[in-house]
């Protein structure tokens, strides 16, 4: 591991200022960044510790939504009464995301920024990884790619985003509030993570040095009908092969609103408003659910070893919608 400097930020402004330094990385819970640093995948020159900043509150917004501070630990977010009561989909996804020990350390801001779990990315013995070493190639394309993307991939990278929390946030139409040298802005969760294109080294649309300060949720949390379904090789401590965040608003036997996002299938949480539109105005049922799943998976292009994910994802979407669409 290369030597680096460490500085504990005293304020958000202090952190943003230091975040402009060459080689600076923000340190929250460290559950991903420390591994990346020890493995030589990331080589920070300066760690700016933001874990003590006053960004650990959960508060109701004037429009009735909810603001979750970037430094709220994943376990605290999952167990917060307002999250459990009003956004149970988010609570379920957070609990599915990691062991209790990791959830106690990991922060909401850090969860948004966690890197892919592609093993070629983590193992520097493999030379060709465009995400780790831009322009070097992609060993996963012709290698072991059972866990990789089936949607939105590019010749440069077929990695998936590993977060469960972000899949729920995508379905819930959350936004990410960030602070940078030019001030504060809000980014829709759907626009926060990138598809790989020809620059897979960039996971997000954050500008250099921008600090996540909160995640904001809209007032409607689909509390009456939502479900997070995670399918993985082991019952726990495993990343999703496929996951689904599904939610319906059903009144008088008709779907008024729908939200669906997929995890484990793309470089970002995968959502298509056209798939949700297929459900609106119809009675919940398998025909509508299957159509929505087909629209969501349109254009799927599996790698050499993960064709099974297309079928698995379709079945998972239908099953999650059956769960939330069952008669009350
Ligand atoms: Fe690297 Fe992406 Fe290829 Fe994995 S899939 S080896 S992260 S370029």
């Amino acid at each position: 591991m290369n030597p680096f400097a460490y500085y504990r930020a005293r304020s958000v402004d202090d952190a943003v200022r230091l975040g402009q330094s060459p080689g600076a990385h923000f340190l929250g819970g460290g559950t991903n960044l420390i591994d990346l640093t020890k493995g030589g995948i990331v080589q920070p020159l300066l760690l700016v510790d933001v874990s003590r900043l006053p960004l650990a509150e959960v508060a109701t917004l004037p429009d009735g939504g909810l603001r979750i501070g970037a430094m709220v630990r994943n376990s605290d977010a999952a167990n917060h009464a307002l999250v459990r009561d009003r956004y149970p989909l988010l609570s379920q996804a957070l609990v599915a995301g990691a062991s209790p020990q990791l959830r106690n350390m990991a922060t909401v801001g850090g969860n948004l920024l966690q890197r892919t779990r592609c093993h070629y990315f983590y193992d520097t013995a493999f030379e060709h990884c465009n995400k780790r070493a831009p322009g070097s190639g992609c060993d996963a394309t012709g290698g072991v790619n059972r866990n990789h993307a089936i949607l939105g991939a590019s010749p440069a990278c077929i990695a998936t985003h590993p977060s469960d929390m972000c899949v729920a946030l995508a379905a819930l139409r959350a936004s990410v509030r960030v602070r940078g040298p030019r001030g504060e802005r809000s980014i829709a969760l759907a626009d926060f993570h990138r598809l790989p294109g020809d620059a897979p080294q960039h996971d997000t649309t954050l500008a250099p040095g921008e600090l996540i300060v909160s995640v904001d949720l809209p007032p409607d949390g689909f509390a009456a009908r939502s479900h997070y379904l995670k399918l993985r090789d082991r019952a726990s401590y495993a990343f999703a092969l496929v996951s689904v965040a599904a939610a319906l608003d059903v009144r008088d036997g008709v779907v008024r609103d729908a939200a669906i996002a997929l995890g484990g299938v793309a470089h970002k949480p995968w959502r298509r408003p056209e798939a949700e539109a297929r459900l609106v105005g119809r009675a919940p049922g398998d025909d509508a659910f299957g159509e929505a799943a087909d629209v969501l998976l349109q254009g799927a292009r599996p790698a050499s070893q993960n064709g099974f994910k297309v079928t698995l994802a379709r079945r998972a979407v239908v099953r999650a919608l059956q769960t939330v669409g069952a008669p009350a």
Side-chain angles (χ1 to χ4, degrees):
M1 191 157 68
N2 293 337
F4 55 82
Y6 168 90
Y7 184 88
R8 182 178 293 163
R10 296 192 186 89
S11 67
V12 171
D13 287 344
D14 194 29
V16 169
R17 183 180 56 78
L18 286 159
Q20 309 308 306
S21 313
H25 287 255
F26 296 123
L27 174 68
T31 55
N32 193 200
L33 181 59
I34 299 301
D35 279 352
L36 291 164
T37 304
K38 284 162 80 174
I41 299 121
V42 171
Q43 296 176 340
L45 297 176
L46 170 65
L47 286 186
V48 182
D49 187 343
V50 294
S51 65
R52 312 282 176 98
L53 294 180
L55 299 172
E57 291 212 341
V58 177
T60 304
L61 290 165
D63 70 353
L66 196 70
R67 173 161 291 168
I68 303 175
M71 286 306 119
V72 175
R73 304 284 169 173
N74 284 189
S75 49
D76 293 334
N79 292 323
H80 196 282
L82 289 171
V83 176
R84 287 172 58 159
D85 290 351
R86 295 181 48 202
Y87 305 91
L89 182 61
L90 176 57
S91 186
Q92 287 174 33
L94 281 162
V95 169
S99 67
Q101 293 91 338
L102 280 170
R103 292 200 301 270
N104 287 342
M105 280 302 291
T107 62
V108 165
N111 195 322
L112 283 158
L113 296 177
Q114 62 177 307
R115 314 279 325 253
T116 182
R117 260 55 184 189
C118 172
H119 28 268
Y120 299 104
F121 173 68
Y122 280 85
D123 190 342
T124 54
F126 292 97
E127 277 178 57
H128 309 120
C129 173
N130 287 319
K131 191 178 277 296
R132 172 165 37 82
S136 63
C138 172
D139 275 327
T141 305
V144 177
N145 51 41
R146 185 172 179 275
N147 291 327
H148 287 67
I150 56 171
L151 287 158
S154 74
C157 180
I158 58 171
T160 57
H161 194 265
S163 168
D164 292 289
M165 180 193 81
C166 294
V167 182
L169 291 179
L172 291 168
R173 299 154 193 171
S175 56
V176 183
R177 208 165 50 99
V178 305
R179 177 98 61 93
R182 294 184 184 170
E184 212 161 276
R185 67 181 178 125
S186 190
I187 309 169
L189 199 282
D191 300 325
F192 183 80
H193 298 101
R194 294 178 68 257
L195 290 178
D198 56 7
Q201 68 272 26
H202 300 303
D203 292 339
T204 72
T205 53
L206 279 175
E210 277 186 322
L211 175 70
I212 298 171
V213 292
S214 73
V215 167
D216 292 354
L217 291 158
D220 185 4
F222 293 91
R225 292 175 180 270
S226 61
H227 181 56
Y228 190 71
L229 174 62
K230 181 175 181 178
L231 303 174
R232 47 191 156 175
D233 284 328
R234 297 187 305 250
S236 62
Y237 311 126
F239 292 93
L241 288 168
V242 167
S243 68
V244 185
L248 293 177
D249 176 3
V250 181
R251 276 176 267 163
D252 303 323
V254 174
V255 175
R256 308 289 172 174
D257 196 4
I260 320 167
L262 279 172
V265 297
H267 202 256
K268 60 187 283 185
W270 191 256
R271 188 175 159 239
R272 274 204 178 121
E274 310 91 274
E276 296 161 2
R278 286 293 175 114
L279 299 171
V280 175
R282 300 171 71 177
D286 285 357
D287 288 348
F289 297 160
E291 277 180 38
D294 288 339
V295 172
L296 195 59
L297 290 162
Q298 256 168 22
R301 287 181 46 174
S304 58
Q305 297 178 347
N306 65 1
F308 72 97
K309 276 194 177 188
V310 181
T311 310
L312 188 66
R314 188 183 191 282
R315 290 179 179 165
V317 170
V318 171
R319 192 171 122 197
L321 287 169
Q322 286 170 335
T323 303
V324 296

